[in-house]
Amino acid sequence: MDTLEPQPPGRKRSARQDLKQQRSIRTRDQILDAAAVTFARSGYAHVTLLDIADQAGVTKGAVYFHFTNKEAIAVAVSEEYFARLAALSAGVKRLKLPPLQATVKLLNRVAVALRDDNLFQAAVRLHLDRHLIDNGLPTRPFVDFIAHCEELLTEAKRLGQLHGEASPESLARVLVASFFGAQHISWALNDRTDIVDRVQETIDAILPLHQCSGSARADNTPAHQDARA
């Protein structure tokens, strides 16, 4: 009869440590998800650590184990938002669409994420409250998002998908600013239920030629398909 060889003590400890680390990661994600719900609903100023703990179903001590204060949670929510935004961009890139179509697809998918994903909603609201957060929130990814749109629009111009006098740099700034303005008004008036249509109107006004290039309208792809990729 075969006998089982005893596991080295170090290997057992490693397995226990891995399990503990996995639980810790799950708890942190649980807290971030709860923070997204509470920040999206109430804004930064009106949310307490106890509110987040109650929403997450954990103790306040568990929240403190992962985050030093509410500000740290807000920064983490913002960083996760930009990570998901980058994932959406990567997902659109994998589709290998012509550049103007890719621009439209990206903005439509971000609109769907803002409609469906509490974390996207929380991050946008937190950036409205950034003056209340001592160390502020990261803004570089906004610059990167504009730069990504500019890159796509530059290629679109090279392919003749934009008017000859169009400036990809200016178009990218205006397009991103108008996009976030459209989502804000959709939020204020209709709780973002019409955000995809309002964003499409913005695209139609700023990039009229995209309608002649075969770009898909009103992409309602669920946010989770790319935002968590």
Side-chain angles (χ1 to χ4, degrees):
M1 180 176 179
D2 293 337
T3 57
L4 295 175
E5 295 185 6
Q7 293 271 339
R11 186 177 299 175
K12 291 182 179 179
R13 282 197 301 271
S14 177
R16 286 197 297 269
Q17 288 170 352
D18 288 345
L19 183 60
K20 185 177 180 181
Q21 184 178 25
Q22 290 170 10
R23 283 200 301 264
S24 179
I25 292 171
R26 284 197 300 269
T27 300
R28 186 181 186 277
D29 289 345
Q30 192 176 339
I31 292 168
L32 272 187
D33 288 342
V37 171
T38 54
F39 284 140
R41 181 176 59 220
S42 304
Y44 182 79
H46 299 293
V47 170
T48 67
L49 287 178
L50 184 58
D51 293 331
I52 295 172
D54 287 346
Q55 179 70 36
V58 300
T59 65
K60 193 173 177 180
V63 176
Y64 273 119
F65 177 80
H66 291 279
F67 301 99
T68 55
N69 51 35
K70 184 173 71 168
E71 177 182 312
I73 299 176
V75 171
V77 167
S78 182
E79 289 174 343
E80 176 63 18
Y81 161 65
F82 285 121
R84 293 186 189 185
L85 197 61
L88 282 175
S89 297
V92 170
K93 186 175 182 179
R94 287 193 294 271
L95 297 176
K96 300 187 184 302
L97 297 171
L100 202 55
Q101 290 174 257
T103 305
V104 175
K105 180 75 73 175
L106 175 60
L107 293 177
N108 274 318
R109 290 199 173 181
V110 176
V112 171
L114 282 163
R115 184 192 65 195
D116 297 343
D117 192 328
N118 285 319
L119 191 132
F120 272 67
Q121 296 164 10
V124 169
R125 184 156 189 176
L126 284 171
H127 275 272
L128 294 178
D129 294 340
R130 64 192 312 273
H131 62 287
L132 301 174
I133 302 171
D134 289 341
N135 294 324
L137 295 174
T139 57
R140 177 69 200 182
F142 276 123
V143 176
D144 293 340
F145 189 58
I146 294 170
H148 179 60
C149 289
E150 180 184 345
E151 180 182 343
L152 289 171
L153 293 172
T154 298
E155 179 63 10
K157 183 175 181 178
R158 188 185 70 80
L159 295 176
Q161 291 185 315
L162 295 178
H163 291 299
E165 68 275 12
S167 164
E169 181 181 3
S170 298
L171 270 179
R173 284 197 303 267
V174 171
L175 189 59
V176 173
S178 299
F179 169 86
F180 282 102
Q183 77 79 30
H184 183 83
I185 293 173
S186 174
W187 169 37
L189 297 182
N190 297 299
D191 199 25
R192 295 192 179 93
T193 57
D194 64 345
I195 186 174
V196 173
D197 290 336
R198 300 293 78 77
V199 165
Q200 190 63 55
E201 289 173 349
T202 299
I203 293 169
D204 290 345
I206 297 174
L207 299 176
L209 278 184
H210 86 274
Q211 298 180 67
C212 301
S213 68
S215 297
R217 295 176 59 81
D219 181 358
N220 279 278
T221 301
H224 62 81
Q225 287 192 12
D226 287 314
R228 293 179 180 271

